[in-house]
Amino acid sequence: MAERGRTMERLGTGIGWRPEIADAVENMPGIDWVEAVAENVCPGHLPESLRRLRERGVTVVPHGVSLGLGGADRPDAGRLLALAERAEALGSPLVTEHIAFVRAGGPLTASPRLEAGHLLPVPRTRDALDVLCENIRIAQDALPVPLAVENIAALISWPGEELTEGQFLYELADRTGVRLLIDVANLHTNHVNRGEDPAEALAGLPLEAIAYVHVAGGFERDGVWHDSHAHPVPRPVLDILTELASRVSPPGVLLERDENFPEPAELERELAGIREAVEKGGGARADGAWRAAAEPSSVSTESARQRVALAQTALLSALVAGTPVPEGFDRVRLGVQARALAGKRADVVAKVAPELPVILGAGYRPAFLAYAQGAPMTDGY
């Protein structure tokens, strides 16, 4: 089991490693570490670029996207084993995942299993927290290195939430000893989309639990912020980073970019802006205290899992299978989220089957979106 309460090493300034910018990352000055999407790395056949970075002493952290730790089911043993293998193959000091659910349905609800193909927010309720804490303990026991989990961006809000984001994350870290990967771009997204104050969220965090920080860009359309990872980092996101750095010295800060990759010089300018934002916040700082993890609760989570499963299945079914919108949700915003999920699925299919957009031309996307409405994913891509 990964040791709880362990002090995380200083990572420095890093960038998300992607095959499209592998050469640029290798030649970029001042890169202390990189993060690679775990599911895109094969332990027995590591990309040569990552091998060379490791040989130079650059830390590589695997970042998982498919565990679904916030889902009602217990973590899949096969997925946990795969994440552990990647951590060992890369010699990583930790692994990271998301506070999210990515699938729902199945035996707990006696309904077909559905896959979102993307990260969806968990409700900030006691039930969801109990389930997430138990899932994280299961993951910690299966992983050879410490685990850190990331707050996600959300287009939608759950009705009847009982905790703020800061309270939810504090109690999660306190009960499990898990580290936190704080994405300041996601705090900005939730500020625009859900009216949540980033400073209030930061004030409630267990600052000593922070493993590192993500920074990324996005865009606003019709009053909705889309966390695209394909646009420059905006000033409000850098301001939140400065606010965080004024409270604690983050062990690491990483620039994420997944699409529309600019020239290396532009990435270097964004990294310089990130360093400046951290330095600006470091002038005056009072580190917060975080007590050791509490003993796991002995209360059974089975009834909580059942309730969470029913709620998540109803939401995901509305998003990907066209069933009625559950009571209390914003119908317009759910429509935005549903279109975003279908669009991401269309983009992935276009990458793995590039002949389809060529054959269908401008008709590819509307044809695929029409297909997706009647054919939700049941087992990942």
Side-chain angles (χ1 to χ4, degrees):
M1 173 180 167
E3 181 184 353
R4 294 180 185 170
R6 170 182 166 183
T7 300
M8 296 306 301
E9 67 177 61
R10 305 297 298 184
L11 293 168
T13 302
I15 189 169
W17 182 90
R18 304 291 185 266
E20 296 90 339
I21 55 171
D23 291 342
V25 169
E26 282 192 68
N27 295 313
M28 204 170 287
I31 296 298
D32 303 306
W33 65 292
V34 300
E35 181 190 76
V37 175
E39 288 79 358
N40 294 344
V41 175
C42 179
H45 303 279
L46 294 179
E48 288 301 317
S49 174
L50 287 181
R51 286 183 180 277
R52 289 191 291 268
L53 288 168
R54 288 287 300 125
E55 290 168 358
R56 282 168 36 192
V58 175
T59 298
V60 182
V61 174
H63 184 53
V65 297
S66 65
L67 264 184
L69 290 170
D73 291 321
R74 288 174 173 80
D76 178 78
R79 294 179 190 276
L80 282 173
L81 176 61
L83 190 55
E85 289 174 344
R86 282 150 179 79
E88 291 178 330
L90 294 167
S92 305
L94 78 162
V95 296
T96 58
E97 248 288 353
H98 298 83
I99 301 170
F101 78 101
V102 297
R103 60 190 65 88
L108 278 173
T109 59
S111 63
R113 186 173 297 280
L114 295 172
E115 290 265 353
H118 192 57
L119 306 167
L120 293 174
V122 301
R124 296 181 197 138
T125 61
R126 290 290 171 187
D127 278 350
L129 181 61
D130 288 344
V131 170
L132 177 62
C133 285
E134 184 171 87
N135 286 351
I136 282 177
R137 293 188 197 106
I138 292 169
Q140 287 171 319
D141 287 341
L143 295 170
V145 293
L147 170 69
V149 290
E150 178 182 353
N151 60 302
I152 72 162
L155 289 172
I156 56 178
S157 298
W158 282 86
E161 292 194 316
E162 300 164 339
L163 301 166
T164 66
E165 181 156 42
Q167 291 168 337
F168 192 87
L169 294 177
Y170 191 101
E171 190 160 341
L172 174 66
D174 189 47
R175 287 171 57 176
T176 65
V178 74
R179 294 284 168 167
L180 299 178
L181 193 181
I182 298 301
D183 191 314
V184 292
N186 291 348
L187 292 179
H188 174 66
T189 301
N190 293 344
H191 169 62
V192 176
N193 294 348
R194 301 168 61 161
E196 298 174 354
D197 184 355
E200 183 179 323
L202 290 175
L205 292 178
L207 298 176
E208 297 306 311
I210 295 176
Y212 62 88
V213 177
H214 271 174
V215 184
F219 66 95
E220 187 171 352
R221 178 186 295 155
D222 299 328
V224 175
W225 187 267
H226 297 267
D227 177 47
S228 67
H229 291 192
H231 295 78
V233 178
R235 173 50 55 185
V237 170
L238 292 176
D239 289 342
I240 298 172
L241 177 59
T242 295
E243 173 70 18
L244 184 149
S246 73
R247 298 169 182 268
V248 67
S249 175
V253 182
L254 181 129
L255 172 65
E256 282 191 299
R257 188 79 175 228
D258 293 330
E259 295 179 27
N260 298 334
F261 299 102
E263 292 299 315
E266 179 60 28
L267 291 174
E268 291 176 25
R269 281 192 289 271
E270 289 209 79
L271 287 166
I274 288 169
R275 293 188 185 96
E276 290 172 6
V278 172
E279 292 171 3
K280 181 179 178 182
R285 179 183 303 126
D287 290 348
W290 175 47
R291 65 187 178 87
E295 288 298 314
S297 170
S298 59
V299 177
S300 171
T301 63
E302 292 311 310
S303 58
R305 286 186 184 278
Q306 185 79 38
R307 291 188 292 270
V308 170
L310 290 169
Q312 291 181 344
T313 300
L315 174 59
L316 185 53
S317 182
L319 289 171
V320 303
T323 57
V325 173
E327 185 177 354
F329 282 96
D330 184 321
R331 292 175 180 274
V332 174
R333 194 56 65 83
L334 245 67
V336 174
Q337 179 70 83
R339 290 190 293 274
L341 290 177
K344 288 179 181 293
R345 187 178 170 193
D347 291 342
V348 171
V349 170
K351 288 181 180 179
V352 299
E355 67 276 9
L356 288 178
V358 173
I359 294 170
L360 298 176
Y364 163 71
R365 197 170 186 86
F368 183 88
L369 297 182
Y371 158 79
Q373 287 182 346
M377 292 188 295
T378 59
D379 192 22
Y381 287 118

